[in-house]
Amino acid sequence: MKLTKLLERLDYECINGSLDVDVTDIVNDSRKAGEGSLFFCIRGAVSDGHRYAADVIAKGAKVLVAEEALEVPEDVTVIRVKDSRYAMALISAAYFDYPAEKLKVIGITGTKGKTTTTYMVKSILESAGHKVGLIGTIEAIIGEARIPAANTTPESYTIQNYFHQMVEAGCDCVVMEVSSQGLMLHRTAGIPFEIGIFTNIEPDHIGPAEHASFEDYMHCKGLLFQQCRLGIVNADDRHLEQVLAGHTCQIETFGFSENADLRAENTKLVSRPGYLGIDYTVKGSDFSLDVEIDIPGKFSVYNSLTAIAICRHFGVAKEDIVDALAKAKVKGRIEMIKVSDEFTLMIDYAHNAMSLESLLTTLKEYNPKRLVCLFGCGGNRAKSRRFEMGEVSGRLADLTIITSDNPRFEEPLDIIADIRTGIEKTDGKYVEIPDRKEAIAWAIHHGQPGDVIVLAGKGHEDYQEIKGKKYPMDERVLIQEILAEDAAKAAEQ
């Protein structure tokens, strides 16, 4: 592709070489540079791409996109830009011939609810005949292909590549999670979002490698509403005004508030062994619908209400919305696994104090005989998370089973000791079973009628990371193995 075509929407200065160059490939990993490639010099958290100029030129790169002048041969083109990440987003879009302009792109941002809502939207739109791609925390879905995710919002090149593949696969819509990091690092720059969604916001992702402050976090979330045609936002969130500061889009609201354009009324908890759900009525100026979903809690109302608010704009029939919400399942997000007719067991990704508190508070509303919480914490992460999660579980659960998560390079027993420190600030009962499979087996074997048992922290993950290596470990598989072993023992007797 001609370099001038790649640069057509970008402000830049050519400070070396010629613009009359054919580009064979665009890369931001120096190891992937080849003959005729364009290389983005990006300053990352760990390394600075400007330092690899000589390496990529030796491999045949003919164009460097950089933020500073570089010492290069005369026949190498250097394009100086203000921000290499922003340039990469716009050049990647041009490289794949602007695939986002051939799709209706729905972007969902917020602290919680993004993943579940994306799957709900996909389910509803597909029930109405749309072909929908998905990009999110768990995976990207392109036709029948499922690609495990490394980031909630991938690098801009990857996003544009996925969009291109979606167009090729016949998709007409894509729903994607848009993280604050993705917005801050320009991964979504240049994407013409049809609809932007704001679910909620709480202090999170604040630290040296993420956001400097809660205000910065809110500002980055709000960037989506300077990049979409229509914003659909949670009217009940107390930080809504700050998030929407500077927005340029039309706004619609949803929530429980009487002032919301689309609101939930008459919520009722639904409970029976092995099943927890909620039903409610959706009301709007020109809209009314009764909904039941088999995911418990008030946040499930928010997630489904968000999905309905989006899908109204695609002309989806009410019966299709109701049917699709009943079928929408998200791996590892309050995922109920049938193991008994007497108690309920579920898997959830709650892996910090805020998400665990939200989950356990929701489940307590169903008045289980006992609320049992099994979890561990990741190694090489802030110790404060362990104390906080231990305290939350000790306060809200009737019984906590402390086990191992991803110990990484720490010893599981050291992590468990930190969790114990948090629990012992409360009166909560607990047991310690370091091996996760043994811990799950113990939870199942000691389940009592009316219990709700939560396996928290791993969610959709299908591995356990120990000393730099990822070992296969899927809690669904562990549960099936435990049940099969129990059946074999029973048969022997």
Side-chain angles (χ1 to χ4, degrees):
M1 188 177 284
K2 288 287 183 190
L3 176 59
T4 48
K5 170 71 175 168
L6 294 175
L7 299 174
E8 65 186 2
R9 296 189 183 178
L10 188 66
D11 289 329
Y12 65 91
E13 181 186 0
C14 180
I15 60 172
N16 198 80
S18 168
L19 290 174
D20 187 21
V21 182
D22 285 321
V23 172
T24 58
D25 194 11
I26 62 175
V27 295
N28 70 322
D29 182 336
S30 60
R31 294 165 296 185
K32 295 178 181 177
E35 191 61 42
S37 61
L38 177 154
F39 177 70
F40 298 100
C41 301
I42 289 174
R43 288 191 177 91
V46 178
S47 64
D48 183 349
H50 293 80
R51 290 173 24 213
Y52 298 100
D55 292 352
V56 298
I57 291 168
K59 291 178 179 178
K62 288 289 180 276
V63 182
L64 303 183
V65 174
E67 295 173 11
E68 61 191 49
L70 297 166
E71 289 286 329
V72 300
E74 285 182 11
D75 64 338
V76 173
T77 301
V78 178
I79 302 296
R80 184 159 63 188
V81 295
K82 187 178 177 183
D83 189 307
S84 296
R85 286 188 179 277
Y86 183 82
M88 180 165 72
L90 269 58
I91 290 172
S92 296
Y95 184 76
F96 289 106
D97 193 24
Y98 306 106
E101 295 176 9
K102 301 162 192 171
L103 297 160
K104 297 276 192 189
V105 185
I106 302 160
I108 301 177
T109 199
T111 305
K112 295 180 292 196
K114 296 187 298 295
T115 301
T116 300
T117 305
T118 54
Y119 282 87
M120 285 179 169
V121 170
K122 185 175 191 293
S123 179
I124 295 171
L125 290 180
E126 287 183 339
S127 75
H130 292 277
K131 189 161 186 182
V132 186
L134 182 145
I135 300 173
T137 301
I138 298 174
E139 61 194 345
I141 304 175
I142 305 167
E144 299 302 312
R146 291 175 177 258
I147 306 159
N151 301 98
T152 295
T153 306
E155 281 292 0
S156 56
Y157 174 89
T158 304
I159 293 174
Q160 296 294 340
N161 189 6
Y162 286 166
F163 284 172
H164 169 70
Q165 292 178 49
M166 288 171 188
V167 171
E168 294 288 299
C171 293
D172 61 323
C173 305
V174 54
V175 57
M176 65 182 289
E177 295 183 50
V178 182
S179 68
S180 54
Q181 287 283 98
L183 288 158
M184 181 174 74
L185 298 175
H186 303 305
R187 292 174 186 164
T188 57
I191 297 172
F193 287 96
E194 179 70 13
I195 301 177
I197 311 300
F198 167 62
T199 60
N200 52 64
I201 197 162
E202 294 293 342
D204 196 15
H205 301 291
I206 296 164
E210 296 185 277
H211 296 285
S213 64
F214 184 41
E215 286 68 28
D216 180 56
Y217 179 48
M218 288 191 287
H219 167 73
C220 289
K221 289 287 189 197
L223 293 174
L224 179 59
F225 304 99
Q226 299 173 29
Q227 201 179 327
C228 62
R229 185 189 65 77
L230 170 66
I232 300 178
V233 300
N234 182 352
D236 302 337
D237 193 281
R238 61 198 171 100
H239 302 293
L240 178 61
E241 197 173 315
Q242 289 152 286
V243 171
L244 286 181
H247 76 274
T248 56
C249 60
Q250 179 187 341
I251 295 292
E252 289 181 7
T253 58
F254 65 88
F256 287 84
S257 165
E258 287 183 9
N259 301 321
D261 296 318
L262 203 66
R263 59 192 178 278
E265 299 179 350
N266 306 321
T267 56
K268 291 190 284 294
L269 304 181
V270 182
S271 176
R272 47 188 180 271
Y275 179 96
L276 299 176
I278 194 160
D279 70 26
Y280 67 98
T281 302
V282 186
K283 288 281 190 186
S285 59
D286 58 348
F287 195 84
S288 181
L289 183 66
D290 292 322
V291 176
E292 181 177 324
I293 45 175
D294 64 351
I295 309 172
K298 189 174 181 179
F299 52 78
S300 298
V301 175
Y302 277 119
N303 294 341
S304 54
L305 192 59
T306 311
I308 293 167
I310 295 165
C311 294
R312 279 206 309 165
H313 289 276
F314 289 82
V316 182
K318 290 180 180 179
E319 55 270 23
D320 288 335
I321 290 176
V322 172
D323 290 347
L325 284 174
K327 294 173 193 164
K329 297 284 184 288
V330 187
K331 187 178 182 183
R333 298 302 197 276
I334 313 191
E335 180 185 356
M336 280 176 263
I337 308 289
K338 180 78 172 186
V339 297
S340 167
D341 291 328
E342 297 191 321
F343 60 82
T344 303
L345 182 140
M346 65 183 68
I347 295 172
D348 192 81
Y349 189 50
H351 60 289
N352 59 34
M354 183 173 64
S355 54
L356 189 65
E357 176 142 14
S358 174
L359 175 66
L360 297 181
T361 301
T362 290
L363 296 175
K364 280 182 83 70
E365 291 174 359
Y366 286 81
N367 296 315
K369 179 180 179 188
R370 292 186 310 169
L371 180 55
V372 180
C373 180
L374 177 152
F375 78 98
C377 286
N380 303 105
R381 297 292 186 268
K383 282 196 172 195
S384 58
R385 177 175 289 193
R386 304 168 194 176
F387 305 144
E388 290 164 1
M389 288 183 72
E391 197 168 342
V392 165
S393 190
R395 178 164 44 83
L396 294 174
D398 298 294
L399 174 66
T400 300
I401 303 168
I402 314 175
T403 187
S404 187
D405 192 292
N406 293 319
R408 297 186 178 92
F409 289 95
E410 289 193 64
E411 290 301 319
L413 292 179
D414 292 342
I415 298 171
I416 286 170
D418 287 335
I419 297 170
R420 185 195 315 129
T421 299
I423 287 189
E424 287 182 342
K425 291 181 181 176
T426 74
D427 297 326
K429 296 177 183 173
Y430 66 92
V431 296
E432 297 175 13
I433 306 173
D435 182 277
R436 198 161 184 114
K437 182 177 177 180
E438 287 179 21
I440 294 170
W442 192 92
I444 291 171
H445 297 152
H446 290 80
Q448 298 175 15
D451 280 357
V452 171
I453 302 170
V454 185
L455 314 183
K458 294 296 287 175
H460 59 276
E461 292 180 355
D462 57 4
Y463 63 85
Q464 187 170 43
E465 190 176 341
I466 303 170
K467 301 280 194 279
K469 186 174 177 184
K470 290 184 177 181
Y471 296 88
M473 192 189 79
D474 185 321
E475 291 187 319
R476 294 148 209 78
V477 174
L478 296 184
I479 290 165
Q480 294 313 311
E481 288 175 357
I482 291 162
L483 296 179
E485 288 161 11
D486 290 348
K489 284 179 190 170
E492 285 174 11
Q493 295 168 356

PDB file of all heavy atoms in Angstrom, residues 63 94 135 151 173 190 196 249 254 298 322 325 381:
ATOM      1  N   VAL A  63       9.990   2.494   6.610  1.00  0.00           N
ATOM      2  CA  VAL A  63       9.318   3.671   7.176  1.00  0.00           C
ATOM      3  C   VAL A  63       9.268   3.534   8.693  1.00  0.00           C
ATOM      4  O   VAL A  63       8.904   2.469   9.214  1.00  0.00           O
ATOM      5  CB  VAL A  63       7.881   3.816   6.632  1.00  0.00           C
ATOM      6  CG1 VAL A  63       7.227   5.072   7.206  1.00  0.00           C
ATOM      7  CG2 VAL A  63       7.863   3.858   5.106  1.00  0.00           C
ATOM      8  N   ALA A  94      -6.534   2.790   8.037  1.00  0.00           N
ATOM      9  CA  ALA A  94      -6.316   2.965   6.600  1.00  0.00           C
ATOM     10  C   ALA A  94      -5.786   1.683   5.963  1.00  0.00           C
ATOM     11  O   ALA A  94      -6.195   1.296   4.860  1.00  0.00           O
ATOM     12  CB  ALA A  94      -5.329   4.112   6.371  1.00  0.00           C
ATOM     13  N   ILE A 135     -15.722  -8.072  20.717  1.00  0.00           N
ATOM     14  CA  ILE A 135     -14.352  -7.918  21.226  1.00  0.00           C
ATOM     15  C   ILE A 135     -14.462  -7.594  22.710  1.00  0.00           C
ATOM     16  O   ILE A 135     -15.134  -6.634  23.089  1.00  0.00           O
ATOM     17  CB  ILE A 135     -13.600  -6.783  20.509  1.00  0.00           C
ATOM     18  CG1 ILE A 135     -13.503  -7.049  18.998  1.00  0.00           C
ATOM     19  CG2 ILE A 135     -12.200  -6.614  21.093  1.00  0.00           C
ATOM     20  CD1 ILE A 135     -12.910  -5.896  18.194  1.00  0.00           C
ATOM     21  N   ASN A 151      -6.025  -8.463  26.308  1.00  0.00           N
ATOM     22  CA  ASN A 151      -6.467  -7.206  26.928  1.00  0.00           C
ATOM     23  C   ASN A 151      -7.966  -7.040  26.697  1.00  0.00           C
ATOM     24  O   ASN A 151      -8.502  -7.539  25.717  1.00  0.00           O
ATOM     25  CB  ASN A 151      -5.769  -5.993  26.295  1.00  0.00           C
ATOM     26  CG  ASN A 151      -4.268  -6.049  26.400  1.00  0.00           C
ATOM     27  OD1 ASN A 151      -3.597  -6.441  25.465  1.00  0.00           O
ATOM     28  ND2 ASN A 151      -3.735  -5.665  27.533  1.00  0.00           N
ATOM     29  N   CYS A 173     -22.557  -5.776  12.422  1.00  0.00           N
ATOM     30  CA  CYS A 173     -22.451  -5.069  13.709  1.00  0.00           C
ATOM     31  C   CYS A 173     -21.279  -5.649  14.492  1.00  0.00           C
ATOM     32  O   CYS A 173     -20.907  -6.817  14.311  1.00  0.00           O
ATOM     33  CB  CYS A 173     -23.694  -5.268  14.582  1.00  0.00           C
ATOM     34  SG  CYS A 173     -25.249  -4.834  13.847  1.00  0.00           S
ATOM     35  N   GLY A 190     -10.130   7.030  16.046  1.00  0.00           N
ATOM     36  CA  GLY A 190     -10.556   6.941  14.653  1.00  0.00           C
ATOM     37  C   GLY A 190     -11.731   6.024  14.393  1.00  0.00           C
ATOM     38  O   GLY A 190     -12.213   5.932  13.266  1.00  0.00           O
ATOM     39  N   GLY A 196     -22.264   4.629  22.044  1.00  0.00           N
ATOM     40  CA  GLY A 196     -21.360   4.465  23.179  1.00  0.00           C
ATOM     41  C   GLY A 196     -22.187   4.258  24.439  1.00  0.00           C
ATOM     42  O   GLY A 196     -23.211   4.920  24.624  1.00  0.00           O
ATOM     43  N   CYS A 249     -22.010  13.943  21.805  1.00  0.00           N
ATOM     44  CA  CYS A 249     -23.024  13.069  21.206  1.00  0.00           C
ATOM     45  C   CYS A 249     -24.417  13.352  21.789  1.00  0.00           C
ATOM     46  O   CYS A 249     -24.554  13.997  22.820  1.00  0.00           O
ATOM     47  CB  CYS A 249     -22.669  11.602  21.464  1.00  0.00           C
ATOM     48  SG  CYS A 249     -22.579  11.191  23.231  1.00  0.00           S
ATOM     49  N   PHE A 254     -30.777   5.335  31.008  1.00  0.00           N
ATOM     50  CA  PHE A 254     -31.500   4.165  31.517  1.00  0.00           C
ATOM     51  C   PHE A 254     -31.234   4.072  33.012  1.00  0.00           C
ATOM     52  O   PHE A 254     -30.301   4.701  33.524  1.00  0.00           O
ATOM     53  CB  PHE A 254     -31.036   2.883  30.799  1.00  0.00           C
ATOM     54  CG  PHE A 254     -29.598   2.531  31.058  1.00  0.00           C
ATOM     55  CD1 PHE A 254     -29.238   1.751  32.149  1.00  0.00           C
ATOM     56  CD2 PHE A 254     -28.583   2.994  30.225  1.00  0.00           C
ATOM     57  CE1 PHE A 254     -27.911   1.434  32.401  1.00  0.00           C
ATOM     58  CE2 PHE A 254     -27.245   2.690  30.465  1.00  0.00           C
ATOM     59  CZ  PHE A 254     -26.920   1.912  31.550  1.00  0.00           C
ATOM     60  N   LYS A 298     -29.488  -6.880  41.218  1.00  0.00           N
ATOM     61  CA  LYS A 298     -29.828  -5.574  40.656  1.00  0.00           C
ATOM     62  C   LYS A 298     -28.926  -5.231  39.471  1.00  0.00           C
ATOM     63  O   LYS A 298     -29.360  -4.640  38.486  1.00  0.00           O
ATOM     64  CB  LYS A 298     -29.694  -4.516  41.758  1.00  0.00           C
ATOM     65  CG  LYS A 298     -30.222  -3.141  41.382  1.00  0.00           C
ATOM     66  CD  LYS A 298     -30.169  -2.213  42.605  1.00  0.00           C
ATOM     67  CE  LYS A 298     -30.725  -0.830  42.275  1.00  0.00           C
ATOM     68  NZ  LYS A 298     -30.694   0.065  43.446  1.00  0.00           N
ATOM     69  N   VAL A 322     -36.861 -10.688  24.652  1.00  0.00           N
ATOM     70  CA  VAL A 322     -37.150 -11.549  25.812  1.00  0.00           C
ATOM     71  C   VAL A 322     -36.504 -12.922  25.641  1.00  0.00           C
ATOM     72  O   VAL A 322     -35.843 -13.434  26.555  1.00  0.00           O
ATOM     73  CB  VAL A 322     -38.672 -11.681  26.022  1.00  0.00           C
ATOM     74  CG1 VAL A 322     -38.974 -12.715  27.097  1.00  0.00           C
ATOM     75  CG2 VAL A 322     -39.277 -10.331  26.408  1.00  0.00           C
ATOM     76  N   LEU A 325     -32.564 -12.665  25.848  1.00  0.00           N
ATOM     77  CA  LEU A 325     -32.058 -12.446  27.204  1.00  0.00           C
ATOM     78  C   LEU A 325     -32.114 -13.729  28.026  1.00  0.00           C
ATOM     79  O   LEU A 325     -31.259 -13.974  28.873  1.00  0.00           O
ATOM     80  CB  LEU A 325     -32.855 -11.341  27.908  1.00  0.00           C
ATOM     81  CG  LEU A 325     -32.540  -9.908  27.482  1.00  0.00           C
ATOM     82  CD1 LEU A 325     -33.497  -8.935  28.147  1.00  0.00           C
ATOM     83  CD2 LEU A 325     -31.092  -9.538  27.824  1.00  0.00           C
ATOM     84  N   ARG A 381       0.791  -9.345  43.076  1.00  0.00           N
ATOM     85  CA  ARG A 381      -0.162  -8.252  42.973  1.00  0.00           C
ATOM     86  C   ARG A 381      -0.251  -7.594  44.348  1.00  0.00           C
ATOM     87  O   ARG A 381       0.239  -8.128  45.334  1.00  0.00           O
ATOM     88  CB  ARG A 381      -1.550  -8.756  42.530  1.00  0.00           C
ATOM     89  CG  ARG A 381      -1.592  -9.394  41.142  1.00  0.00           C
ATOM     90  CD  ARG A 381      -1.343  -8.373  40.048  1.00  0.00           C
ATOM     91  NE  ARG A 381      -1.516  -8.931  38.714  1.00  0.00           N
ATOM     92  CZ  ARG A 381      -0.542  -9.476  37.988  1.00  0.00           C
ATOM     93  NH1 ARG A 381       0.678  -9.576  38.495  1.00  0.00           N
ATOM     94  NH2 ARG A 381      -0.777  -9.921  36.763  1.00  0.00           N
TER      95      ARG A 381
END
